[in-house]
Amino acid sequence: MAPMTTAAAPTVTTAELMEAMAAVGAAYFQDFAAAAGRHGLSSSQAKALGVVLEPVPMRALAGQLGCDASNVTGIVDRLEALGLARREAAEADRRVKIVTITDEGSEVLQRIRADMVRAHRAFESLGDEQRGLLLDLCRQVLPLLAA
Amino acid sequence: MAPMTTAAAPTVTTAELMEAMAAVGAAYFQDFAAAAGRHGLSSSQAKALGVVLEPVPMRALAGQLGCDASNVTGIVDRLEALGLARREAAEADRRVKIVTITDEGSEVLQRIRADMVRAHRAFESLGDEQRGLLLDLCRQVLPLLAA
DNA sequence: TATTGTTATACTCTATAACTATA
DNA sequence: TATAGTTATAGAGTATAACAATA
């Protein structure tokens, strides 16, 4: 007979969880990349634009993007050429350049985010309780995932 | 006094949910890319390896990777050169080439997945009930997200 | 000396268009 | 004619190493 424990644990394996998260993450990213493309930006450029909503030095931007500092030169070059971001000299340390978003950059970013139609449909299909649960789980898992 | 409704809705905005999902998705992907890199593969190569666990034609692989068919030629070329995958002629239609993973490819893929230390830590930090909830939410949201 | 940003280099990924061999 | 895969091409992302300016 069954021993006197709580009902058989759901037994969700970590592998199952990782597969599901990979699928959701990939689908979300593809929706983002497609929306960025519709507005003339690569996904890296659009991601950088999101980071510099809060002005940051080139080096810090590289950290946020998870790539080498040398790459950021080209990415910011192109954003600057499009008039969506600009470099500003830092006062405290003249080696440092602060990347800032322009008004036009903010508008483009807003339009890209509004244009993620599948993400909007997906998350708006959830009830209030589910939305709260999902947000909590994401926030709980993020510190360990982004370590 | 409070009207007789359910307690004030949590009011999680879609924007909040998207920001949290973007952060989790990006962190997960970086963990995956880093693990692939430690085993000598790019993230695209590792992702392709995961797809061809079930043999598929070149064209279908392109669809799964979300890129143009012309790119798959190079990706599979490199996997083949590493001995991790191979092309096989399809019997029914001689235009088609089926991509299959090799034994060594399976081993490398397994090692990469086991090497995603942050993802393992993050998901194993959840309790059984939370793991079940997260899996359900992912599966519920995926069909609309991957439309 | 150490750090910030840049440049030079080489490789990979990406889409577009043109090609081939089948169907 | 239509489709599967490839090739050619050009642009962008990526890491490594070396460099100038500044700290």
Side-chain angles (χ1 to χ4, degrees):
Chain A
M1 303 296 291
M4 243 198 94
T5 60
T6 52
T11 317
V12 173
T13 68
T14 298
E16 276 176 311
L17 222 37
M18 284 172 61
E19 186 180 341
M21 272 304 311
V24 168
Y28 183 90
F29 178 75
Q30 283 193 17
D31 193 33
F32 174 69
R38 272 174 242 129
H39 294 267
L41 296 187
S42 71
S43 51
S44 289
Q45 290 166 351
K47 193 177 172 188
L49 215 48
V51 173
V52 300
L53 272 174
E54 173 121 6
V56 291
M58 297 286 286
R59 208 98 194 166
L61 177 53
Q64 290 287 316
L65 296 179
C67 70
D68 190 84
S70 62
N71 305 320
V72 181
T73 299
I75 294 172
V76 174
D77 279 351
R78 283 159 217 129
L79 287 177
E80 214 165 18
L82 293 168
L84 306 181
R86 62 168 172 274
R87 290 164 165 95
E88 291 178 356
E91 302 165 4
D93 186 335
R94 288 195 303 181
R95 291 173 301 181
V96 175
K97 293 177 187 171
I98 310 286
V99 189
T100 309
I101 198 169
T102 64
D103 289 346
E104 192 186 341
S106 296
E107 285 163 22
V108 170
L109 181 60
Q110 272 190 318
R111 260 175 280 158
I112 289 172
R113 286 176 172 175
D115 204 22
M116 295 177 64
V117 289
R118 293 187 306 202
H120 277 96
R121 265 209 298 266
F123 294 131
E124 282 158 12
S125 78
L126 298 177
D128 272 347
E129 193 182 356
Q130 290 176 312
R131 290 159 67 93
L133 279 169
L134 182 54
L135 185 63
D136 284 347
L137 286 166
C138 283
R139 288 182 175 166
Q140 192 169 336
V141 109
L142 186 58
L144 285 169
L145 202 53
Chain B
M1 302 296 290
M4 247 201 86
T5 61
T6 52
T11 319
V12 172
T13 67
T14 298
E16 277 177 309
L17 222 39
M18 284 173 61
E19 186 181 340
M21 272 305 312
V24 167
Y28 184 90
F29 179 75
Q30 284 192 17
D31 194 33
F32 174 70
R38 272 174 242 130
H39 294 267
L41 296 187
S42 71
S43 52
S44 287
Q45 288 166 353
K47 193 177 173 188
L49 215 47
V51 172
V52 299
L53 273 175
E54 172 121 8
V56 292
M58 298 288 284
R59 209 98 195 166
L61 178 51
Q64 289 288 315
L65 296 180
C67 68
D68 190 85
S70 62
N71 305 320
V72 181
T73 300
I75 293 172
V76 173
D77 278 351
R78 284 160 216 130
L79 288 177
E80 213 165 20
L82 293 168
L84 306 181
R86 63 169 171 274
R87 291 165 164 94
E88 290 178 356
E91 302 165 2
D93 186 335
R94 287 195 303 180
R95 291 172 302 179
V96 174
K97 293 177 187 171
I98 309 285
V99 189
T100 308
I101 198 167
T102 64
D103 289 345
E104 193 187 340
S106 296
E107 284 163 23
V108 170
L109 181 60
Q110 272 191 317
R111 262 175 280 159
I112 289 173
R113 286 175 172 177
D115 203 21
M116 296 176 64
V117 288
R118 295 187 305 199
H120 277 96
R121 267 210 297 268
F123 293 130
E124 281 157 13
S125 76
L126 298 177
D128 270 349
E129 192 184 356
Q130 289 176 312
R131 291 158 66 91
L133 279 169
L134 182 53
L135 185 62
D136 283 347
L137 286 167
C138 283
R139 288 182 173 164
Q140 191 169 337
V141 109
L142 187 59
L144 285 168
L145 203 52

